[in-house]
């Protein structure tokens, strides 16, 4: 009989998986219990400036749905069958009391569904702090920038009123620094993935990122550092997998087994758009000057592309995706979008056209956060991986 | 039981006038290029018609193309074409219908080819899909695009900052693009004149819509309402023709009300008003008449609807204001129905049920439209709770014939009407 010892990286994975799949948000409860009066604020994808919540002394918590973990009953009574899965699981989490630990919720301007969900939250949870957080689609500093700055100042004021922190006590610059460090570690993780993908399986990278949706940023940074160290040290055989970029999964999340399925199908995910909030501004938000202004400027300057963000110049459509493929030496793109996700699915033909012009291979499928039938996806991804490995250079 | 409907089909002069206005508009569009007119594609919610007209541009609305294709039974083919070209079956069918039509030669309702846009005016009000739609059209037409980002009323009201943001965009982005495309300088006095005309027409539209408070209602505020909103929601707001149209319409409605008459349906004058309804959600266009008949045959009259507010919530008091031209355009955009948050939408429906003394309300949930549909089940429960009136729920689509099941819709409606009839007989406690 042989005993298999748990390697440090396996232990890390289990620990983080337990954290990430815990729909009762025990880690958030523990953080709140550690000090009386602490508050936590939930936010939905795609992007909110977490620095403001942090600076107001509260814990930002990403609410990304319930994956395949939860039976949806009340959530289904709120949404018709032709609406994506995310809002129904978020509603289920809310109505089942699992989100009671959150003292408020922020709903970013990602799509009409999340937008409407913000209002439903106001109706269903009238005692909670609920805000719809707009972002400018006009990127002129004098226009969209001014608007966004006023909006963020107001939001910061409201968050402080909720947390009880006086505006004089707020050290937003410190929060910017903390998140810059966090984003730098996230970038490091993505860089390692691209350089030595066999060291960083997609599922582990995903867990590492997802943990940041519940942990305070300082702790999350430490967890990323721990993982990076373990991954660099782990003895893992180099593999000749297909290097692919995932696009379209920026909101409703694919279930973890789906990500593992892609791995098993021979795909190294060298880039993706999961949890863009972790990477939105890049690590270089200026740490001098007015920190709020710095967040505004960084937002306006952010070159990333997401379906919820307007691309002012048609020539740039798809440019970010192509750049990612080139920079990460990817061999193809997997468009993985949630069913009924208008933003991702409407974007897809435009991005595909851009890839066609650039001669980049792609395949597409839809999923939902509770997709259980993974075999067809495995076959499709496997065929894609084989094809680009065989024919990629041609 | 079927409510008797007089079979002599009447076409009112206002209806004929509107028809002529639309026909003329499409003739103008067909000749736009030879006459050196600039064509601007834009959306109904948050449209800046007066501004476009002040630059002598001709507006063209892709949603209207799509709905007309639906009514002319062409949308199924167009949608299929777009899906063959790689568009997902899951997404908004207005977009696919428009794209399919474009792929098939862009032939408009008059049988003539529609002109290509000189400018895409992307007023991003009340729906994210608009943004993707015009990104898609921009790929094809490679023409200038002007984006007007209208923030959502997440807190149920708009703020000074939001108005300022929209005005700033009008000044720095929209007007300069118009000047560049047309070669004309912005003429604020011309804009003011047009806005003055709009306000007069808006006054009359509200008068017409509110006539439904009478018993019997002289109008149907949904099926008939979609015609009444036509000129103001599309290419004509601000024109003397629109102002005249609304004056005419108002007189006709007044005359019907004075005679104690009900609305005119496709089969003629509705004699007996059995049920008064409030409706939320857009109508189905592929089976518009059949759908309307399901109501008219039962004597169900829609006394208020939210769809007739997508292009402006004039009944909440908004009027374009020549004294504050850009600010009032901004406030107009901010106030369109789908730019209002869900609690405000619930309040509006609740008030409609009360103010228009409705017997019940109905939601027509549109598969295509997340902007309208996401959350309607919660809305229904809220309105039921607040009004004590029964709510009905049906599912159709705007222009995808695959999602209109006449038998299902009819069954659901019949049960709903039965419920209303029973409720009507109950003696109040
Ligand atoms: S999955 Fe898509 S449609 Fe659904 S909430 Fe997210 S962005 Fe919106
Ligand atoms: S989603 Fe609704 S509002 Fe938006 S374009 Fe489609 S039908 Fe119109």
């Amino acid at each position: 009989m042989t005993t298999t010892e748990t390697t440090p990286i396996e232990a890390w994975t289990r620990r983080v998986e337990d954290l990430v799949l815990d729909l009762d948000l025990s880690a958030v409860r523990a953080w709140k219990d550690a000090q009386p009066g602490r508050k936590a604020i939930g936010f939905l994808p795609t992007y909110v400036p977490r620095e403001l919540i942090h600076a107001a002394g509260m814990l930002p918590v990403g609410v990304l749905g319930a994956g395949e973990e939860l039976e949806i009953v009340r959530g289904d009574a709120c949404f018709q069958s032709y609406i994506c899965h995310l809002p129904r699981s978020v509603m289920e989490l809310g109505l089942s009391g699992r989100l009671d630990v959150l003292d408020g919720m922020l709903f970013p301007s990602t799509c009409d569904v999340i937008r409407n969900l913000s209002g439903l939250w106001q109706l269903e949870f009238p005692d909670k702090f609920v805000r719809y957080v707009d972002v400018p689609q006009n990127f002129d500093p004098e226009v969209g920038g001014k608007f966004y700055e006023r909006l963020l100042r107001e939001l910061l004021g409201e968050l402080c009123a909720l947390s009880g922190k006086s505006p004089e006590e707020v050290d937003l610059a410190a929060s910017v620094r903390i998140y810059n460090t966090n984003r730098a570690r996230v970038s490091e993780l993505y860089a390692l993935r691209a350089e030595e993908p066999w060291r960083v399986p997609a599922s582990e990278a995903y867990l590492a990122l997802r943990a940041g949706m519940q942990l305070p940023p300082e702790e999350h940074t430490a967890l990323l550092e721990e993982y990076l160290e373990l991954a660099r040290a782990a003895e893992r055989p180099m593999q000749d997998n297909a290097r692919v970029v995932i696009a379209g999964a920026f909101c409703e999340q694919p279930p973890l087994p789906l990500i593992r399925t892609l791995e098993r199908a021979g795909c190294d995910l060298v880039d993706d758009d999961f949890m863009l909030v972790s990477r939105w501004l890049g690590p270089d938000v200026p740490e001098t000057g007015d920190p709020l202004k710095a967040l505004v400027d960084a937002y306006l300057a952010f070159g990333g592309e997401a379906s919820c963000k307007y691309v002012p110049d048609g020539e740039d459509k798809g440019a970010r995706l192509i750049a990612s493929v080139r920079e990460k030496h990817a061999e193809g793109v997997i468009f993985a979008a949630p069913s009924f996700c208008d933003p991702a699915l409407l974007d897809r033909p435009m991005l595909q056209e851009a890839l066609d012009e650039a001669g980049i291979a792609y395949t597409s499928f839809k999923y939902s956060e509770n997709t259980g039938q993974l075999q067809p996806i495995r076959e499709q991804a496997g065929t894609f991986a084989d094809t680009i490995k065989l024919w990629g250079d041609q | 039981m079927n409510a008797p409907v007089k079979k002599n089909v009447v076409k009112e002069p206002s209806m004929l006038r509107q028809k002529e206005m639309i026909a003329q508009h499409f003739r103008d569009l067909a000749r736009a290029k030879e006459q050196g007119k600039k064509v601007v594609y834009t959306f109904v919610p948050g449209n800046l018609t007066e501004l476009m007209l002040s630059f002598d541009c001709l507006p063209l609305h892709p949603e209207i193309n799509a709905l007309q294709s639906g009514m002319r039974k062409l949308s199924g083919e167009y949608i299929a074409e777009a899906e063959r070209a790689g568009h997902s079956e899951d997404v908004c069918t207005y977009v696919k219908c428009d794209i399919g039509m474009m792929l098939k030669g862009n032939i408009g309702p008059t049988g003539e080819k529609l002109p290509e846009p000189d400018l895409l005016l992307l007023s991003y009000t009340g729906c994210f899909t608009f943004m993707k739609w015009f990104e898609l059209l921009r790929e094809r037409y490679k023409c200038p695009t002007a984006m007007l980002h209208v923030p959502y009323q997440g807190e149920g009201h708009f703020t000074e900052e939001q108005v300022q943001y929209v005005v700033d965009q009008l000044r720095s982005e929209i007007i300069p693009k118009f000047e560049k495309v047309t070669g004309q300088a912005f003429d604020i006095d011309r804009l003011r004149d047009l806005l003055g005309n709009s306000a007069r027409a808006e006054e009359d539209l509200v008068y017409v819509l509110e006539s439904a408070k009478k018993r019997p209602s002289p109008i149907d505020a949904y099926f008939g309402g979609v015609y009444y909103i036509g000129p103001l929601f599309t290419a004509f707001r601000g024109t003397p023709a629109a102002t005249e149209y609304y004056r005419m319409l108002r007189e006709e409605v007044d005359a019907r009300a004075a005679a104690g008459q009900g609305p005119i349906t496709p089969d003629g004058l509705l004699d007996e008003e059995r049920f008064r309804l409030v409706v939320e959600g857009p109508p189905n266009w592929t089976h518009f008449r059949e759908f309307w008949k399901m109501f008219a045959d039962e004597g169900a009259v829609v006394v208020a609807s939210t769809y007739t507010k997508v292009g402006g919530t004039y009944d909440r008091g908004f009027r374009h204001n020549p004294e504050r031209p850009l600010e009032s355009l901004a406030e107009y955009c901010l106030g369109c129905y789908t730019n209002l948050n869900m609690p405000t939408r619930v309040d509006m429906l609740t008030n409609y049920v009360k103010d228009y003394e409705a017997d019940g309300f109905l939601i027509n949930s549109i598969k295509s439209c997340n902007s309208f549909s996401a959350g309607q089940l919660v809305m229904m429960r809220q309105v039921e709770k607040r009004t004590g009136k029964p709510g009905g729920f049906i599912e159709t689509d705007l222009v995808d014939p695959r999602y209109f099941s006449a038998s299902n819709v009819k069954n659901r409606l019949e049960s709903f009407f039965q419920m209303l009839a029973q409720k009507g007989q109950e003696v109040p406690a």
Side-chain angles (χ1 to χ4, degrees), chain B residues 19-170:
Chain B
K19 252 185 127 173
E20 177 44 34
M21 285 161 75
I22 294 170
Q24 182 59 46
H25 183 62
F26 277 97
R27 283 196 292 271
D28 290 346
L29 281 167
R31 287 198 298 270
K33 300 286 159 172
E34 73 200 48
Q35 295 190 344
K37 288 246 181 187
K38 300 295 177 194
V39 175
V40 178
Y41 284 18
T42 197
F43 294 109
V44 169
N47 69 71
L48 303 172
T49 305
E50 298 88 349
L51 189 67
M52 288 186 254
L53 297 179
S54 80
F55 281 102
D56 294 311
C57 292
L58 286 171
L60 188 64
H61 304 83
E63 304 125 294
I64 307 291
N65 293 346
L67 84 82
Q68 282 173 339
S69 300
M71 284 182 138
R72 289 184 298 138
K73 309 272 183 217
L74 294 169
S75 53
E77 198 183 315
Y78 291 157
I79 292 166
E81 182 72 21
E83 288 180 1
R84 276 195 294 275
H87 290 269
S88 165
E89 64 270 29
D90 287 0
V91 302
C92 170
T93 53
Y94 258 8
V95 181
K96 285 186 289 187
C97 182
D98 184 44
I99 288 183
M101 175 169 138
M102 187 174 82
L103 294 173
K104 284 195 163 261
N106 229 12
I107 306 301
T110 54
E112 285 174 287
K113 191 173 183 326
L114 294 173
E116 297 205 347
D118 297 290
L119 176 71
L120 294 169
L121 174 58
L122 167 48
S123 61
Y124 170 83
T125 312
C127 169
F128 278 79
T129 298
F130 289 151
M131 186 166 92
K132 298 289 119 189
W133 192 339
F134 271 13
E135 282 185 356
L136 284 158
L137 293 195
R138 182 178 64 187
E139 291 240 307
R140 151 92 197 200
Y141 293 119
K142 310 270 182 231
C143 67
T145 310
M147 156 67 132
L148 179 70
H149 173 212
V150 179
Y152 182 59
Q153 289 197 27
E155 313 312 318
H157 54 86
F158 58 75
T159 62
E160 263 176 47
E161 286 80 19
Q162 290 177 332
V163 175
Q164 192 56 50
Y165 174 44
V166 179
V167 169
D168 286 349
Q169 292 176 79
L170 290 172

Side-chain angles (χ1 to χ4, degrees), chain B residues 337-399:
Chain B
Y337 178 68
T338 48
N339 205 47
L340 310 178
N341 72 353
M342 297 305 268
T344 310
R345 285 172 59 181
V346 168
D347 286 346
M348 268 176 84
L349 277 170
T350 303
N351 292 338
Y352 283 161
V353 171
K354 290 179 180 161
D355 297 347
Y356 288 79
E357 296 177 347
D359 303 303
F361 66 96
L362 183 82
I363 294 179
N364 183 29
S365 174
I366 294 293
K367 178 192 174 281
S368 267
C369 185
N370 284 346
S371 174
F372 254 104
S373 305
Q376 280 176 327
L377 287 161
V378 178
M379 285 174 88
M380 182 168 81
R381 290 195 287 272
Q382 290 274 339
V383 179
E384 273 183 333
K385 197 165 81 186
R386 293 189 201 181
T387 61
K389 298 288 179 188
F393 201 88
I394 51 174
E395 294 184 337
T396 69
D397 189 54
L398 292 160
V399 287

